[in-house]
Structures are given as structure tokens and as C-alpha cells.
Amino acid sequence: MKILVCISNVPDTTSKINFTADNKAFDKNGVQFVINPWDEYALTRAIELKEAKGGTVTVLNVGEADTEPNIRKALAIGADDAIRVNANPTDAFFVAQQIAAIAKENNYDMILMGKESIDYNGSQVHNMVGEILGIPAVVPAFKLDLVDDSTARLEREVEGGKEVVEVKLPFVASAQQPMSEPRIPNMRGIMTARTKPLNVVEPVGAEAKAEYVNYSKPEKKGGVKMIDPENAGELITLLRNEAKVL
């Protein structure tokens, strides 16, 4: 069984976020990047399936050379090899086209990724990949098991309960908690990751469909207003006219 796991390179949630002077681009200076946490659930589950059933796990990242440390981390966690599409991931459609091109070339049985990236929270790529390839996309799933060599069973949340889906391979799925427990690479994994294949390929000729015109930070929170506990009328007025929660 061949499993492709797509990972994104995202800012650590503890990083201070800034934009360029014209607010048209994200400023990477001083920012620590990590594997997208949702993608780690997909990666760990893929490795668990490989350990139980056999096969290979390939990690795919669409990004520039500065993403390679986190690709190596994925290899240290247990992936067998990696592919980096040498391109700036400009928008979801562009990324989906790159993933689909790699998938067509290598005939993977499963294409797994997180339900979204924590930087843009678009939650679009998985469905686009399924549509481009003409295969099912089950999103997002919190459980993934193999029924047999050609069928998988997934569970996902629906309003008021859960939905159980059986799907034939190949398919696309996105992961959320509690599909797996993300692993921390051990020393042996870190050492072996240095020699595992990391192939760099050029992107296919796909155009981005969206352009980010401007970035801005949320407005700063205003100061706290202290209201006399005996003055309920003033509190109600402020909640209605300023906070607009009534």
C-alpha cells in the first residue's frame, strides 16, 4: 500500500506575526515554522497503517527550500521518503494541482492531509485534489481504518452524531482529532532521516486562482471599563451600543 501525506509549513502559534511595510505579504523574519498540526494527525495515522499492514508513506510538501527542516522531521517521525515541489504555495488551487500531478504519476492508494492549515484555515485543498483526480474525498475524518486491501472505513462528525463511510481505494481524506496521537521523533529516527530520499521537483504549469491583496492584524482590544455594580442601566447601554452583544 502506498500512502501520500501532504504537509504544510506553518508559523508556530507562539510566533509574533508581522507583515511587510505595504501589508501585501507575510514577513517571515524571526518566525519559527512547524509542521501543520492537523497534518501531523494524518502523518501519524499513515505510519500506524504502514506498521500494521505494510507499505510505504511518502511525504509531500509544496514549498521552497526553507521547508526542508520540517520535511526531514516528518521523515524522522517515520515516513519513508519525501517530495518537495519547488514552489511558493500561492493559493489552494495551485497547491491542489501540484498534489494531483504527483498523485497521478505515482498511483497512491491514499492521499491524506490535515483538515486545514492553521495559517489560512482554508480547508479547500483536499476537496480540490479529489475533484481533480476524480476520486472520493472524505473530509474531515476523525477515524480511519482498513476493512480489507481495497476498502477503508472512516468516521466523521455530523450535526448530532457521527457518520461512518466505507470507501474504495484510492481516495482523499483529511484528518482531525482524535485520528491519532502525533509522535515526537526519537534519536534513531532523526539520524535515519538524514539519509532518506528527499526529491525536489519543479511545479506543473498551474495558475493560482486567488490573490491575497492585503493583510491586516485584528484591531487592538480597548481598555476595560469599570461599571458601578449599582448602575445596571449603564452596563446595559454599553453592552447594547458599544459591545453590540444585546
Side-chain angles (χ1 to χ4, degrees), residues 8-11 36 117-121:
S8 297
N9 199 53
V10 299
N36 179 46
S117 62
I118 64 168
D119 47 5
Y120 289 97
N121 301 104

Side-chain angles (χ1 to χ4, degrees), residues 188-210:
R188 181 184 178 189
I190 293 170
M191 297 300 292
T192 57
R194 297 177 181 177
T195 58
K196 289 181 179 179
L198 196 173
N199 300 313
V200 180
V201 300
E202 293 305 311
V204 297
E207 293 184 4
K209 299 294 185 181

Side-chain angles (χ1 to χ4, degrees), residues 8-231:
S8 297
N9 199 53
V10 299
D12 192 312
T13 53
T14 61
S15 297
K16 185 176 180 180
I17 302 302
N18 289 302
F19 306 113
T20 54
D22 59 3
N23 288 325
K24 292 186 180 299
F26 173 64
D27 186 355
K28 294 182 179 181
N29 290 321
V31 175
Q32 177 70 35
F33 284 82
V34 297
I35 298 174
N36 179 46
W38 296 114
D39 296 337
E40 288 198 73
Y41 291 109
L43 174 62
T44 306
R45 187 60 187 140
I47 293 168
E48 290 171 348
L49 290 172
K50 180 191 76 169
E51 291 171 346
K53 304 292 186 179
T56 60
V57 174
T58 299
V59 168
L60 171 62
N61 170 257
V62 180
E64 297 171 324
D66 58 358
T67 68
E68 290 193 5
N70 280 325
I71 298 174
R72 289 290 178 192
K73 180 182 176 182
L75 292 171
I77 290 171
D80 297 286
D81 63 303
I83 301 170
R84 178 173 68 83
V85 178
N86 187 32
N88 179 27
T90 49
D91 80 336
F93 182 72
F94 176 82
V95 172
Q97 290 276 44
Q98 309 310 315
I99 295 170
I102 296 294
K104 285 178 182 177
E105 185 178 339
N106 294 281
N107 297 316
Y108 294 101
D109 298 294
M110 295 184 199
I111 304 170
L112 306 181
M113 62 191 78
K115 70 171 187 176
E116 61 186 0
S117 62
I118 64 168
D119 47 5
Y120 289 97
N121 301 104
S123 193
Q124 301 176 70
V125 172
H126 31 65
N127 283 317
M128 290 180 178
V129 172
E131 182 67 21
I132 294 167
L133 294 174
I135 60 176
V138 183
V139 298
F142 65 84
K143 189 174 183 181
L144 166 60
D145 292 299
L146 286 172
V147 177
D148 52 42
D149 291 342
S150 63
T151 308
R153 180 181 293 117
L154 300 97
E155 296 182 16
R156 60 182 180 180
E157 292 179 347
V158 295
E159 188 172 353
K162 67 179 181 180
E163 181 180 64
V164 180
V165 180
E166 285 195 0
V167 61
K168 293 292 184 181
L169 280 57
F171 65 91
V172 179
S174 66
Q176 67 173 43
Q177 282 179 293
M179 182 175 281
S180 62
E181 184 65 34
R183 297 181 179 183
I184 298 173
N186 56 34
M187 184 56 65
R188 181 184 178 189
I190 293 170
M191 297 300 292
T192 57
R194 297 177 181 177
T195 58
K196 289 181 179 179
L198 196 173
N199 300 313
V200 180
V201 300
E202 293 305 311
V204 297
E207 293 184 4
K209 299 294 185 181
E211 178 185 359
Y212 297 100
V213 176
N214 188 275
Y215 293 86
S216 62
K217 293 182 179 181
E219 292 184 7
K220 292 184 178 180
K221 294 182 179 179
V224 176
K225 291 186 177 181
M226 305 298 293
I227 307 298
D228 190 311
E230 302 298 325
N231 194 351

Side-chain angles (χ1 to χ4, degrees), residues 235-241 243-246:
L235 175 61
I236 292 170
T237 299
L238 290 171
L239 291 173
R240 179 180 293 118
N241 299 332
K244 299 187 184 302
V245 294
L246 295 179

